[in-house]
Amino acid sequence: MKIIEVADYEEMSRVSAQIMLEKVKSQEHVTLGLATGGTPLGTYKELVRDHEENGTRYDHVHTYNLDEYVGLSSSDPESYHSYMCEHLFNRVSIPLDQTNIPNGSAEELLQECLRYDSLIESIGGVDLQLLGIGQNGHIGFNEPGTPFSSKTHVVDLTPSTLEANAEYFTDLSKQPTRALTMGISTILQSKEILLLASGEKKQDALFHLLRGEITETVPASALNMHGNVTIIADSQALKLVNSLGK
């Protein structure tokens, strides 16, 4: 596991975008696993800036998002589909039919999970999976206690995760309490994983990932079982790790 310590969120975003751009530019066909929320926003901003300034092509790129809220249609402004279109898809040259996001409004959620997992299995896992880490150690929406063997599934969101995501909803009464998410096993199929962490609130989760036991109570600890993980974290997120020695 490689750790890149950076000064702050802005540097984290620049470094992560550069790693993703190297992948995009070096392969004739590339699959990217993408994340949502506050952590990757700076990375997407850097990708958009590069596209505008350098014309980097994305017509050979296919994407697979980690998760989506249950009950929100793709057109809902608070869905992750809308998030991705606003912050990345509509601002670079990627064909929308090459982007894949779980369908949170599917009538048969179990079938949708099976479909999405089969899609990822059919490509042998994505080339590069972008991840954030929750304060409780979740990756994707895999909450503490999620089996490491889990595939794409429906999850009930914990109170801490709902609280962390509440800022993205104008009407909290309409905030979904369930989501579809790639499972931990699905994530670990990725050929390469890039995890981002910024801010003091992430220091406990990062400490348990890097210094704790591999346990299902800390979903991110499963990344220790993967052979190609890079963590980009700022000094605040690494504060607890660094205080006890690298």
Side-chain angles (χ1 to χ4, degrees):
M1 187 175 290
K2 181 180 180 182
I3 302 172
I4 301 175
E5 182 172 354
V6 295
D8 50 29
Y9 179 85
E10 287 72 24
E11 186 179 4
M12 180 197 75
S13 299
R14 290 193 298 271
V15 173
S16 60
Q18 187 57 45
I19 291 173
M20 295 182 73
L21 285 168
E22 289 174 2
K23 185 73 66 174
V24 168
K25 293 177 180 179
S26 66
Q27 296 185 197
E28 293 184 2
H29 176 84
V30 62
T31 56
L32 300 176
L34 300 178
T36 49
T39 299
L41 280 175
T43 301
Y44 296 149
K45 182 178 180 179
E46 289 294 319
L47 295 178
V48 170
R49 182 188 60 77
D50 166 80
H51 176 70
E52 293 172 347
E53 294 179 0
N54 302 314
T56 300
R57 293 171 44 251
Y58 287 82
D59 55 351
H60 62 302
V61 175
H62 289 68
T63 67
Y64 299 82
N65 263 72
L66 279 169
D67 40 37
E68 179 60 282
Y69 288 112
V70 168
L72 297 187
S73 67
S74 61
S75 60
D76 190 297
E78 291 169 329
S79 70
Y80 282 153
H81 188 279
S82 293
Y83 168 109
M84 291 305 306
C85 287
E86 176 184 355
H87 296 293
L88 186 65
F89 295 160
N90 289 344
R91 302 177 68 186
V92 298
S93 61
I94 185 169
L96 288 180
D97 62 359
Q98 293 174 194
T99 64
N100 298 276
I101 301 175
N103 180 6
S105 60
E107 291 187 8
E108 297 292 337
L109 293 176
L110 178 58
Q111 289 302 313
E112 173 60 12
C113 292
L114 293 172
R115 181 197 71 82
Y116 201 68
D117 219 55
S118 295
L119 188 64
I120 295 169
E121 287 182 357
S122 72
I123 62 168
V126 300
D127 293 318
L128 176 62
Q129 176 66 59
L130 184 66
L131 295 176
I133 184 170
Q135 294 180 43
N136 62 3
H138 73 240
I139 49 176
F141 272 134
N142 294 288
E143 301 284 11
T146 302
F148 287 163
S149 60
S150 62
K151 295 182 178 295
T152 302
H153 61 286
V154 182
V155 61
D156 293 319
L157 303 177
T158 64
S160 64
T161 296
L162 290 171
E163 181 180 357
N165 290 348
E167 63 180 288
Y168 303 110
F169 291 88
T170 55
D171 184 352
L172 291 183
S173 68
K174 296 181 180 179
Q175 182 182 5
T177 58
R178 296 192 299 162
L180 303 181
T181 184
M182 282 189 200
I184 294 174
S185 174
T186 312
I187 292 171
L188 291 180
Q189 289 183 59
S190 308
K191 299 177 181 68
E192 182 177 354
I193 293 174
L194 183 62
L195 183 139
L196 310 181
S198 175
E200 193 170 350
K201 290 182 179 180
K202 301 298 177 72
Q203 65 172 328
D204 287 337
L206 207 54
F207 176 81
H208 287 296
L209 164 59
L210 294 172
R211 297 290 182 264
E213 298 178 359
I214 299 176
T215 170
E216 292 176 352
T217 61
V218 182
S221 68
L223 299 179
N224 288 287
M225 301 187 294
H226 192 282
N228 192 4
V229 177
T230 299
I231 295 174
I232 307 175
D234 64 21
S235 56
Q236 290 298 304
L238 285 168
K239 181 185 292 186
L240 187 56
V241 172
N242 289 342
S243 70
L244 298 178
K246 295 184 179 180

